[in-house]
Amino acid sequence: MTFVRIFVMAIAASSIVPSQLRAADQPGKFTLARIVPAGSLLYHHRVANPEREFLTKHWSHVWEALRKSGIEKDIMNMITTRTPTEEDRADFEKHWTQAAELFEGVAWSDLAANESLVYVKSREDCALMFRPRTETLASNVQGLIAILEELANFDEGMRLDKSGAHGGHIWTLSMAWTPITLNLFRRGDVLGFTISQAAANDILAALAQAREYERLVDTPRYREAMAQLPKPEDSVTFMDVHNVFSMARGFAEGLIAAEAEEGIDIGGGKKAKILANLFREVDIIDYFAATEETDGLKTLAHSVAKMTPEARSKKLYKAVANQKPITGVLEHVPASASGYSATSGIDLGMLYSWGKDMLEHNFDEGPQWLARWAEWQQVNEFNLQDEILSWIDGSMIGITFPGAIQTGFGSSQDFVFKIKVNDDAKARDSFFRQLDRFSGTLTMAPAADVNAEGFRSITNPMMMMMMMGMKITVGVDKGWLYISDSAPAINKCLATAAGDAPSIATDERYKREGIVPKGPVNSASFADTSNAGQELAMMFGMAPMGLMMIPPSPEAKPIRSILGIMSKLAPVLAEKNFERSRSSICRLEGDRWVSQRIVNYKGYTPRKKTEVPDLAKQREEKKKVKSSLEGL
């Protein structure tokens, strides 16, 4: 049964409980780290922290709003519309109801109350583990077993077996149509899931200290990575990026060898060759590691990404790492800005050259494609390298300002996008020459309201109608190409860059909540997120307006259902409105990218009663009333 297979996958996915659901009864330690074997490609581990209690309470309102949204009915309806017969639909609805009842029997948030961990070493050797809340451990295990038992009864090809090893227990759900098994294991206060019984046995042996193996936390690369980061309080992450790409490349090369050995050509080998070469070129990162901590009403994440020794010889690395870092970022951002994002960018010329090399040497049709591209450029008197890429330096800064217009999506925001150029005159002439190609559809005029020469305003009838009269203003000044939807915003940036107006460095909130870049950086950002949840909620709340453009036909029913789901998610998104701001910074230090991120939150205020209506309950009550009236 297709439903059963989907349901099994849903159980595995749903058991990955969001980290914000963690309760913080006690500090917790990274005790399960010793279970993770060396050679793991991915390892993520989170423990409880009392300092995050306010976030747990914030998130509890989000999950409660999601529970009350009633979207599960819409999802079920979307699936049943594609069910061929009434009998199949009735069967599906019965199983759906049973599944919902069984899921209610598990306190999913309690599973990860003290500790949660996921690691992936291979397709067979991967696991999701928990050290749950003690008070609900027994009932949660029984609830999970009940789900597996019910699944085993759904289809003749499914069977549930129980086994024991090393003082623990394993419940294995096998399926006739796949060698993959879903395994629930428990030993003491630790439980988890694997997709192979062998992996579950190995974990039980490790928990019982009855197995000799090399641990990830004892390997030199892991220790090297952790030595560069603050001690974790909330979570730790390690990803062996180099071996991920090596395995992917090995898989592709295996396909090539298989075709060659069989003496056949079905096209798989050619595609695999392309993928193998692509994986080889993008394999420039050795490992990525990160730790996270909570300090009052903010969380701090620190990360490091080390480059491979061979990275410097690859064009992709040169396109990214050879860019000069940005200095004096804040000198470009006015004090009135609500946020900014700056990056040293990419050497687009180098990236363009790399792309052409990939086409030429990896695709049979590559040389012909490049020849047609060269011919098109010649016919249209356009050369991408000379006309565009040659004058773009790569550095970019995006700046946002609170807008004066209130829309259905919340308060509008003005933006200014700045691109560093290496030749003002060439950039100005070339950029406007390309715009002139669209003179039939664009209306351009001198921007008299900009306090600099040579700027133009661009409008389009459709843009004027759909975007409330918005016009784009562009121009080049003192080494930067400006693109903005607001001439006053450009003037603010011009004044700040000239030193005639204060920058965001003088703003008290930014100094309090942001990461202030000191010296050259490769990227830096700050964003006011204090109303992001409400703005998303307003946008999703307008989804029903799209129903007017969707015909009430059977084929369009899934689309109409999606729009209905979006509108019901609006109250959920409104609850996700407890951030204040986000800020980050990144530097290239030798052969390592070193980053830091801060998220500031609003404090938690207890509520007397829920502010979210129970939409599912309201609909059921309306149905009862309607049924009563029909019976009169």
Side-chain angles (χ1 to χ4, degrees), residues 263-295:
I264 58 175
D265 183 7
I266 57 175
K270 293 179 180 179
K271 295 175 182 177
K273 177 184 176 183
I274 295 169
L275 289 175
N277 289 337
L278 178 63
F279 290 142
R280 184 179 293 106
E281 285 299 314
V282 300
D283 181 14
I284 62 174
I285 299 177
D286 185 8
Y287 61 72
F288 169 85
T291 62
E292 187 180 11
E293 61 191 271
T294 300
D295 180 14

Side-chain angles (χ1 to χ4, degrees), residues 20-41:
Q20 290 85 351
L21 282 173
R22 316 270 194 273
D25 297 332
Q26 53 188 0
K29 296 180 180 179
F30 296 87
T31 59
L32 294 176
R34 62 187 177 87
I35 306 301
V36 182
S40 293
L41 304 176

